[in-house]
Amino acid sequence: MDISAGGGGNSLPTTGADGSKRRVCYFYDAEVGNYYYGQGHPMKPHRIRMTHALLAHYGLLDEMQVLKPHPARDRDLCRFHADDYVSFLRSVTPETQQDQIRALKRFNVGEDCPVFDGLYSFCQTYAGGSVGGAVKLNHGHDIAINWAGGLHHAKKCEASGFCYVNDIVLAILELLKYHQRVLYVDIDIHHGDGVEEAFYTTDRVMTVSFHKFGDYFPGTGDIRDVGHSKGKYYSLNVPLDDGIDDESYQSLFKPIMGKVMEIFRPGAVVLQCGADSLSGDRLGCFNLSIKGHAECVRFMRSFNVPVLLLGGGGYTIRNVARCWCYETGVALGHELTDKMPLNEYYEYFGPDYTLHVAPSNMENKNTHRHLDEIRSRLLENLTKLRHAPSVQFQERPPEAEQPELT
C-alpha cells in the first residue's frame, strides 16, 4: 500500500476496522480541575475533570492503566527551562507578584499567563504526566495519554500563550534517551512554536504543525520555516485559513504524515491534540468535527509506533471533553456511542446530550488550489530528507525518576 496516498500505516494485524488492541496508559490527577487561571480567562483546567468524568461513564478507565502523575521536580523542568525561570515559577504567588514586577515582565507572566494559586504545582502535575507517559512508552506501552499536557507555547525562559512549562519538550527529551528519532505532530489551531524552536537545529526530532496562519497568535509557522543547520527540512509547517473542514484537513494530513512516517521513520510519536481546531471553539476559527479531529489520532495510531497523546488548546470546554473522550476511545480501538451516558457534568452537554456535534456552515477559505500547492510544496521538502538520518546513539542520560506507578 502506498502510505503517502493516505492509507494506513504498518498496522498490527487487524481484527476489525481499527486493528489490534494497544497497551494504553492514562495519566490523571484529580486536583488538576481545581486550578483556576482567573475570572474571564479562556483556559480552564476544569475541562480535564470533565473529560475524565466522560471516560469513567463510558467505561474506558477499565480498559487502560490509570496513573497519577508523579510531580516533575525542579531538576526535571531544568532539563529544558532556565534555572532562574523555574525558580521564579516556584516562588511567585498572587500575593507576592506586585513585588516582582521586573521578573513578571522578563518572564512574560501577567495577562495571558497570569499568576494564580498553585501555579507551580499545576506545572509540576501536567509536566509530570507527559514525562511519565514518555517513560511508559520507553518501557513497552503502545500509547500513553495526558490530556492535561500539550502546552506547546512555553519557551526556555518565558511563559507564552497560557503555557508556563513546555511538557512536550520535556517528554521528547525523555523519549530521545531510547529512540534515535522522535516525531512531533501538532493539530492545535495555534502553531507549535515552543516545540519547533526547541528542536529547530536537530535532525533527531521532526516537528510538523498544522495551524491557522496570518494575523493569528503566535504569528509564527510560515511554510518557509523548515529548520536550520542539521535540522534543515526537519520542521514542517502547514499554514491554513479559516473554516477548514474535515475533508480539506485530511487531504493534507494523511499524505503529508504518511510520507513523513515513510521517510523519517520515528521510534516514537508525540501528538498534540489541541481541541481549539474544532468547529465552534471560543478562540478558534476552524470547522473540524470531532470525528475529523480524531481521524488524525486514528491515522497516527495505525503505524504501530509508540504514541504519546497530549491535550493543548480548547476553549469551548464541553466540546474539548467530548473530543478527548472520543479520542481516548480511538486510542483503545473502541467506537463510542453518540448518546452520552449520565454523568456529573451532564447539563453541560445539552440540549442534545450527544458525544458529537455538527460542524457549522461557515465558509471554508482554503481553496482546493491552495491546498494542492501546500501539499506539493511540503511533499517536495520531504524528498530532500532522502531517508532516515543515521544518528549515532549517545551515552544515555539517566531516566527521569518515576515512583512505583500504580
Side-chain angles (χ1 to χ4, degrees):
M1 181 189 287
D2 177 13
I3 61 174
S4 65
N10 306 314
S11 302
L12 291 165
T14 53
T15 51
D18 199 42
S20 269
K21 280 183 75 72
R22 307 293 201 270
R23 286 186 68 205
V24 181
C25 61
Y26 162 77
F27 286 81
Y28 177 70
D29 187 319
E31 288 298 309
V32 80
N34 294 331
Y35 296 107
Y36 184 56
Y37 276 62
Q39 192 167 2
H41 198 290
M43 179 61 121
K44 301 192 185 309
H46 178 60
R47 66 205 176 128
I48 310 301
R49 183 186 279 150
M50 291 171 62
T51 303
H52 186 78
L54 286 184
L55 296 181
H57 289 279
Y58 269 104
L60 297 179
L61 297 180
D62 300 332
E63 305 275 325
M64 322 182 268
Q65 185 180 15
V66 179
L67 302 161
K68 183 178 178 181
H70 180 55
R73 299 154 306 177
D74 292 11
R75 69 171 178 268
D76 301 324
L77 302 180
C78 290
R79 292 202 60 217
F80 172 58
H81 293 287
D83 294 11
D84 54 353
Y85 175 54
V86 171
S87 176
F88 167 76
L89 289 177
R90 189 177 62 245
S91 63
V92 72
T93 68
E95 294 72 39
T96 64
Q97 63 178 323
Q98 288 312 310
D99 305 327
Q100 297 174 269
I101 299 297
R102 283 182 65 183
L104 290 169
K105 204 163 192 172
R106 178 182 165 204
F107 297 125
N108 196 36
V109 172
E111 200 168 329
D112 273 359
C113 301
V115 177
F116 55 83
D117 283 326
L119 169 59
Y120 191 62
S121 297
F122 174 63
C123 294
Q124 290 180 293
T125 298
Y126 78 73
S130 298
V131 173
V135 170
K136 294 299 268 185
L137 294 182
N138 285 343
H139 289 88
H141 270 73
D142 301 308
I143 299 174
I145 301 172
N146 178 31
W147 294 128
L151 276 68
H152 57 173
H153 296 305
K155 309 292 198 310
K156 184 182 177 74
C157 301
E158 66 176 55
S160 175
F162 317 158
C163 308
Y164 303 85
V165 162
N166 200 314
D167 61 290
I168 306 169
V169 172
L170 296 169
I172 291 171
L173 291 173
E174 192 66 29
L175 290 168
L176 287 170
K177 295 174 183 177
Y178 278 74
H179 302 282
Q180 285 185 301
R181 293 176 298 280
V182 175
L183 171 64
Y184 173 66
V185 188
D186 191 314
I187 60 171
D188 193 289
I189 196 171
H190 301 94
H191 177 233
D193 57 339
V195 186
E196 179 184 278
E197 188 178 296
F199 298 110
Y200 206 60
T201 60
T202 179
D203 58 5
R204 291 191 64 195
V205 178
M206 186 160 198
T207 61
V208 187
S209 178
F210 296 77
H211 51 267
K212 158 79 173 162
F213 184 70
D215 192 24
Y216 199 71
F217 182 86
T220 50
D222 193 293
I223 197 168
R224 293 169 295 187
D225 297 336
V226 296
H228 181 67
S229 186
K230 276 177 76 173
K232 191 167 186 185
Y233 299 118
Y234 290 90
S235 290
L236 275 190
N237 283 297
V238 189
L240 304 169
D241 209 340
D242 294 6
I244 193 161
D245 58 22
D246 294 350
E247 186 183 353
S248 296
Y249 201 91
Q250 293 304 327
S251 77
L252 293 178
F253 189 87
K254 287 183 176 176
I256 289 167
M257 295 319 305
K259 187 58 78 173
V260 166
M261 293 299 287
E262 178 192 323
I263 293 176
F264 186 60
R265 299 192 178 276
V269 174
V270 178
L271 177 56
Q272 195 267 21
C273 302
D276 46 9
S277 44
L278 291 173
S279 181
D281 187 78
R282 178 176 164 186
L283 299 186
C285 52
F286 283 0
N287 198 21
L288 297 183
S289 72
I290 288 169
K291 283 192 174 173
H293 194 272
E295 187 61 27
C296 300
V297 178
R298 196 184 306 278
F299 188 68
M300 296 315 297
R301 177 189 188 273
S302 75
F303 291 93
N304 193 21
V305 170
V307 180
L308 177 60
L309 296 179
L310 301 174
Y315 308 102
T316 300
I317 61 174
R318 62 185 181 275
N319 291 347
V320 177
R322 286 175 157 120
C323 181
W324 291 344
C325 174
Y326 184 73
E327 288 176 344
T328 304
V330 168
L332 288 162
H334 291 320
E335 183 61 38
L336 304 181
T337 58
D338 191 31
K339 182 168 169 42
M340 191 173 281
L342 279 171
N343 63 83
E344 49 270 53
Y345 302 109
Y346 198 61
E347 71 277 8
Y348 280 78
F349 302 104
D352 298 328
Y353 307 102
T354 54
L355 192 58
H356 294 283
V357 286
S360 75
N361 59 358
M362 72 185 294
E363 180 192 357
N364 183 356
K365 293 186 177 175
N366 300 269
T367 64
H368 284 298
R369 182 180 167 188
H370 183 54
L371 294 170
D372 289 345
E373 286 170 0
I374 291 172
R375 184 170 52 249
S376 299
R377 184 157 172 186
L378 293 173
L379 292 174
E380 169 67 20
N381 281 358
L382 284 167
T383 64
K384 295 168 183 167
L385 299 186
R386 307 245 174 256
H387 54 78
S390 54
V391 181
Q392 295 299 311
F393 267 121
Q394 321 294 321
E395 184 179 348
R396 197 162 70 216
E399 288 183 43
E401 284 174 39
Q402 297 288 308
E404 198 50 49
L405 298 167
T406 55

